[in-house]
Coordinates of all heavy atoms in Angstrom, one line a residue:
S1 N -1.1 -10.8 -1.5 CA -1.5 -9.6 -0.9 C -2.6 -9.9 0.1 O -3.2 -10.9 0.1 CB -2.1 -8.7 -2.0 OG -1.1 -8.3 -2.9
V31 N -21.1 1.8 7.2 CA -20.4 0.6 7.7 C -20.4 0.8 9.2 O -20.0 1.8 9.7 CB -19.0 0.5 7.1 CG1 -18.2 -0.6 7.7 CG2 -19.0 0.4 5.6
D32 N -20.7 -0.3 9.9 CA -20.9 -0.2 11.4 C -20.0 -1.2 12.1 O -20.4 -2.3 12.3 CB -22.3 -0.3 11.8 CG -22.7 0.0 13.2 OD1 -21.7 0.4 13.9 OD2 -23.8 -0.2 13.6
V34 N -17.1 -2.9 11.5 CA -16.8 -4.2 10.7 C -15.3 -4.5 10.8 O -14.5 -3.7 10.6 CB -17.2 -4.0 9.3 CG1 -16.7 -5.2 8.4 CG2 -18.8 -4.0 9.1
S35 N -15.1 -5.8 11.1 CA -13.7 -6.3 11.1 C -13.7 -7.5 10.2 O -14.5 -8.5 10.4 CB -13.2 -6.7 12.5 OG -13.1 -5.6 13.3
S47 N 7.5 -11.8 -12.6 CA 7.1 -11.7 -14.0 C 8.0 -12.4 -15.0 O 9.2 -12.3 -14.8 CB 7.0 -10.2 -14.3 OG 6.7 -10.0 -15.7
T66 N -14.2 -13.3 -2.2 CA -15.2 -13.0 -1.3 C -16.4 -12.3 -2.0 O -16.2 -11.4 -2.8 CB -14.7 -12.0 -0.1 OG1 -13.7 -12.8 0.6 CG2 -15.8 -11.6 0.8
S72 N -29.7 -3.1 -1.4 CA -29.0 -1.7 -1.6 C -28.9 -1.0 -0.3 O -29.7 -1.1 0.6 CB -29.9 -0.9 -2.6 OG -30.0 -1.5 -3.8
S78 N -19.6 0.5 0.1 CA -18.8 1.3 1.0 C -17.6 0.5 1.5 O -16.5 1.1 1.6 CB -19.7 1.6 2.3 OG -20.8 2.5 1.9
R81 N -15.1 0.8 -1.2 CA -14.4 2.1 -1.2 C -13.4 2.2 -0.1 O -12.4 2.9 -0.2 CB -15.5 3.2 -1.1 CG -16.3 3.4 -2.4 CD -17.1 4.7 -2.4 NE -18.1 4.7 -1.4 CZ -19.3 4.3 -1.5 NH1 -19.7 3.7 -2.6 NH2 -20.1 4.4 -0.5
I96 N -3.0 -2.7 4.4 CA -2.7 -3.5 3.2 C -1.3 -4.1 3.4 O -0.3 -3.3 3.6 CB -2.8 -2.7 1.9 CG1 -4.2 -2.1 1.7 CG2 -2.4 -3.5 0.7 CD1 -4.3 -1.2 0.6
N97 N -1.2 -5.4 3.4 CA 0.0 -6.0 3.6 C 0.7 -5.6 4.9 O 1.9 -5.4 4.9 CB 1.0 -5.9 2.4 CG 0.5 -6.6 1.2 OD1 -0.4 -7.5 1.3 ND2 0.9 -6.1 0.0
D103 N -1.0 5.6 5.9 CA 0.4 6.0 5.9 C 1.0 6.4 4.6 O 2.2 6.7 4.5 CB 1.2 4.9 6.5 CG 1.0 4.7 8.1 OD1 0.2 5.5 8.6 OD2 1.5 3.8 8.6
G105 N 1.5 4.4 2.1 CA 2.5 3.4 1.6 C 2.2 2.9 0.2 O 3.0 2.1 -0.3
V106 N 1.1 3.3 -0.4 CA 0.8 2.7 -1.7 C 1.9 3.1 -2.7 O 2.2 4.3 -2.9 CB -0.6 3.3 -2.3 CG1 -0.8 2.9 -3.7 CG2 -1.7 2.7 -1.3
H111 N 5.6 -2.0 -0.3 CA 4.9 -3.1 -1.1 C 3.4 -3.2 -0.9 O 2.8 -4.2 -0.7 CB 5.5 -4.5 -0.6 CG 7.0 -4.5 -0.7 ND1 7.7 -4.4 -1.9 CD2 8.0 -4.6 0.2 CE1 9.0 -4.4 -1.7 NE2 9.2 -4.5 -0.4
D126 N -11.6 0.0 -31.8 CA -10.7 -0.9 -32.6 C -9.5 -0.1 -33.2 O -8.9 -0.5 -34.2 CB -11.5 -1.5 -33.8 CG -12.3 -2.7 -33.3 OD1 -12.2 -3.1 -32.1 OD2 -13.2 -3.2 -34.1
T129 N -4.8 -2.6 -30.7 CA -5.0 -4.0 -30.3 C -5.5 -4.1 -28.9 O -5.4 -3.1 -28.1 CB -3.8 -4.8 -30.5 OG1 -2.8 -4.3 -29.5 CG2 -3.3 -4.7 -31.9
H133 N -4.5 -1.5 -25.7 CA -5.5 -0.9 -24.8 C -5.2 -1.2 -23.3 O -5.3 -0.3 -22.5 CB -6.9 -1.4 -25.2 CG -7.5 -0.7 -26.3 ND1 -7.7 0.7 -26.3 CD2 -8.0 -1.1 -27.5 CE1 -8.3 1.0 -27.5 NE2 -8.4 0.0 -28.2
P139 N -2.1 3.9 -15.1 CA -2.1 5.3 -14.7 C -0.9 6.0 -15.1 O 0.3 5.4 -15.1 CB -2.3 5.2 -13.2 CG -2.8 3.9 -12.9 CD -2.3 3.0 -14.0
R149 N 9.4 8.1 -8.9 CA 10.5 8.8 -9.5 C 10.9 8.2 -10.8 O 11.2 8.9 -11.8 CB 11.7 8.9 -8.5 CG 11.5 9.8 -7.4 CD 12.6 9.6 -6.3 NE 12.5 8.4 -5.7 CZ 13.3 7.9 -4.7 NH1 14.3 8.7 -4.3 NH2 13.2 6.8 -4.1
P179 N -10.6 -5.2 -30.0 CA -11.6 -5.5 -29.0 C -12.9 -6.0 -29.5 O -13.6 -6.8 -28.8 CB -11.8 -4.1 -28.3 CG -10.4 -3.4 -28.5 CD -10.0 -3.8 -29.9
G195 N -7.2 -3.9 -14.7 CA -7.3 -3.6 -13.3 C -6.0 -4.2 -12.6 O -5.4 -3.6 -11.7
L203 N 4.2 -0.8 -7.9 CA 5.2 -1.7 -7.3 C 6.2 -2.1 -8.4 O 7.2 -2.7 -8.0 CB 4.6 -2.9 -6.7 CG 3.5 -2.7 -5.7 CD1 2.9 -4.0 -5.2 CD2 4.0 -1.9 -4.5
R217 N 4.0 -8.0 -5.6 CA 2.8 -8.5 -5.1 C 1.7 -8.7 -6.1 O 1.8 -8.0 -7.2 CB 2.3 -7.6 -4.0 CG 3.2 -7.4 -2.8 CD 3.1 -8.6 -1.9 NE 3.9 -8.4 -0.7 CZ 3.9 -9.2 0.4 NH1 3.2 -10.3 0.4 NH2 4.7 -8.9 1.4
R244 N -7.8 -18.6 -10.6 CA -6.3 -18.7 -10.7 C -5.7 -17.4 -10.1 O -4.6 -17.5 -9.5 CB -6.0 -18.8 -12.2 CG -6.2 -20.2 -12.8 CD -5.5 -20.4 -14.1 NE -6.1 -19.5 -15.1 CZ -7.1 -19.9 -15.9 NH1 -7.6 -21.1 -15.8 NH2 -7.6 -19.1 -16.9
R268 N -15.9 -20.2 -2.7 CA -16.2 -18.8 -2.5 C -16.7 -18.5 -1.1 O -17.4 -19.3 -0.5 CB -17.2 -18.3 -3.5 CG -18.6 -18.9 -3.4 CD -19.4 -18.7 -4.7 NE -20.8 -19.1 -4.5 CZ -21.2 -20.4 -4.6 NH1 -20.3 -21.4 -4.9 NH2 -22.4 -20.8 -4.5
V271 N -20.4 -13.3 2.2 CA -20.6 -12.4 3.4 C -21.9 -11.6 3.2 O -22.0 -10.8 2.3 CB -19.4 -11.5 3.7 CG1 -19.7 -10.7 4.9 CG2 -18.1 -12.3 3.9

Side-chain angles (χ1 to χ4, degrees):
S1 294
V31 176
D32 191 1
V34 167
S35 294
S47 174
T66 298
S72 297
S78 296
R81 290 195 296 272
I96 299 175
N97 295 336
D103 286 357
V106 173
H111 305 295
D126 285 350
T129 66
H133 278 300
R149 287 173 291 182
L203 305 178
R217 297 282 186 175
R244 287 193 292 266
R268 63 196 187 279
V271 177

